[in-house]
Amino acid sequence: MIILFFFLAHWFLSLFFQTFFQHRYASHRMFTTSKTWERIFYLLAYFFEGASFLNPRAYALMHRAHHAYSDTENDPHSPHFFVDIFRMMKATIITFGDYLKRVKDPEAQFPGHYPEWPFIDRIGSSILSRLLFGAAYTCFYIFFAAHWWMFLLLPIHFMMGPIHGAIVNWCGHKYGYRNFDSADKSRNTTPFDFLMLGELFQNNHHKHPNSANFGSRWFEIDPVYPVMKLMHWAGIIKLRKAY
């Protein structure tokens, strides 16, 4: 039970900060917040994403390119141009690395307005940091794993962020239903998206990319949106009107 709780906690906390901080804040600026809270969110994203910490600037630039060229040959990760999810995942990691190293730097087309913290960016993206988090996960399993098969979950901990991204980008543009007609192939994979915290409402999101609520119909519940509304009411963030 301890291992299961640890796995689920890492899955959902890592995913929460990826969708809340890197996606909804860094990429789309769905809300504003103070510099102090931005730094707190930055640290929490680094801690909970751990071995697969995603640089907010690189994430934002790649995600904006994804929206601009959705499901075309210029889309960084459209599933319609790859034989399988593993090749798409590999290509996405390479592209993300290019943005991280500023080899590919489309500032003129997708400019600024993303958070940067050079100190945490350097640490979080370093091999040493990823190895230390990996070692911490492994030690936790050595102490608490009751059966050998539990160690098969360890690779997921190491690659948590890319795995989340692969599921969303592959399934969200191949499987499910559509509420809106659009030029791309985005879909809502499931009407009850608790596993991916609303990220699989891709058709809704591509139709209204600046809306903080990824759900559109009455039964489509985005689990992150109520948390954001609570933060808004508490004065931690200020939600922007969708446009």
Side-chain angles (χ1 to χ4, degrees), residues 6 10-11 13-14 18 22 43-55 93 96 100 120-138 153-164:
F6 178 71
H10 188 199
W11 178 276
L13 287 169
S14 173
Q18 183 178 160
Q22 277 98 340
L43 288 172
L44 290 173
Y46 168 57
F47 179 77
F48 288 118
E49 291 172 15
S52 59
F53 172 73
L54 299 167
N55 177 278
I93 291 173
F96 184 86
L100 181 64
I120 297 299
D121 288 340
R122 285 194 299 271
I123 292 176
S125 300
S126 69
I127 295 176
L128 177 60
S129 175
R130 301 193 192 283
L131 289 175
L132 288 174
F133 272 109
Y137 305 149
T138 303
L153 296 173
L154 269 174
I156 299 177
H157 288 284
F158 303 153
M159 296 288 290
M160 191 72 79
I163 289 172
H164 288 154

Side-chain angles (χ1 to χ4, degrees), residues 78-117:
S78 171
H80 299 282
F81 293 90
F82 296 93
V83 175
D84 54 55
I85 192 172
F86 301 104
R87 297 187 195 187
M88 185 195 73
M89 190 175 178
K90 179 181 177 182
T92 302
I93 291 173
I94 292 173
T95 302
F96 184 86
D98 288 342
Y99 284 114
L100 181 64
K101 299 170 186 174
R102 301 181 188 251
V103 174
K104 181 179 288 188
D105 197 9
E107 276 286 353
Q109 189 169 2
F110 309 113
H113 304 296
Y114 40 70
E116 291 189 89
W117 192 352

Side-chain angles (χ1 to χ4, degrees), residues 221-240:
I221 300 174
D222 173 5
V224 175
Y225 183 59
V227 178
M228 296 177 70
K229 287 185 70 174
L230 182 61
M231 289 183 177
H232 175 81
W233 292 333
I236 297 172
I237 67 174
K238 184 176 181 181
L239 289 169
R240 299 174 62 188

Side-chain angles (χ1 to χ4, degrees), residues 10-233:
H10 188 199
W11 178 276
F12 285 109
L13 287 169
S14 173
L15 179 58
F16 174 82
F17 280 98
Q18 183 178 160
T19 183
F20 171 75
F21 188 64
Q22 277 98 340
H23 188 186
R24 307 189 198 210
Y25 180 62
S27 302
H28 291 286
R29 284 290 177 166
M30 295 174 181
F31 63 90
T32 57
T33 190
S34 68
K35 194 66 177 179
T36 298
W37 277 110
E38 181 185 285
R39 290 296 173 92
I40 291 172
F41 295 145
Y42 225 116
L43 288 172
L44 290 173
Y46 168 57
F47 179 77
F48 288 118
E49 291 172 15
S52 59
F53 172 73
L54 299 167
N55 177 278
R57 176 187 176 277
Y59 185 102
L61 290 173
M62 187 167 72
H63 187 70
R64 292 171 189 177
H66 165 65
H67 273 270
Y69 307 116
S70 184
D71 290 322
T72 69
E73 292 183 358
N74 293 320
D75 188 333
H77 40 232
S78 171
H80 299 282
F81 293 90
F82 296 93
V83 175
D84 54 55
I85 192 172
F86 301 104
R87 297 187 195 187
M88 185 195 73
M89 190 175 178
K90 179 181 177 182
T92 302
I93 291 173
I94 292 173
T95 302
F96 184 86
D98 288 342
Y99 284 114
L100 181 64
K101 299 170 186 174
R102 301 181 188 251
V103 174
K104 181 179 288 188
D105 197 9
E107 276 286 353
Q109 189 169 2
F110 309 113
H113 304 296
Y114 40 70
E116 291 189 89
W117 192 352
F119 176 69
I120 297 299
D121 288 340
R122 285 194 299 271
I123 292 176
S125 300
S126 69
I127 295 176
L128 177 60
S129 175
R130 301 193 192 283
L131 289 175
L132 288 174
F133 272 109
Y137 305 149
T138 303
C139 288
F140 188 90
Y141 270 65
I142 290 173
F143 277 103
F144 294 106
H147 303 281
W148 67 267
W149 59 263
M150 293 181 175
F151 285 90
L152 298 178
L153 296 173
L154 269 174
I156 299 177
H157 288 284
F158 303 153
M159 296 288 290
M160 191 72 79
I163 289 172
H164 288 154
I167 293 171
V168 171
N169 292 315
W170 186 268
C171 296
H173 285 255
K174 283 184 77 77
Y175 313 121
Y177 64 97
R178 289 163 64 87
N179 287 331
F180 307 101
D181 291 330
S182 58
D184 62 18
K185 301 180 185 296
S186 59
R187 294 181 176 273
N188 299 324
T189 303
T190 169
F192 310 108
D193 185 26
F194 293 99
L195 178 64
M196 299 305 297
L197 299 184
E199 285 287 326
L200 284 175
F201 294 136
Q202 282 290 297
N203 181 242
N204 297 344
H205 175 54
H206 276 259
K207 178 63 176 180
H208 303 290
N210 296 297
S211 173
N213 185 1
F214 288 179
S216 180
R217 301 171 72 177
W218 67 269
F219 54 82
E220 296 171 344
I221 300 174
D222 173 5
V224 175
Y225 183 59
V227 178
M228 296 177 70
K229 287 185 70 174
L230 182 61
M231 289 183 177
H232 175 81
W233 292 333

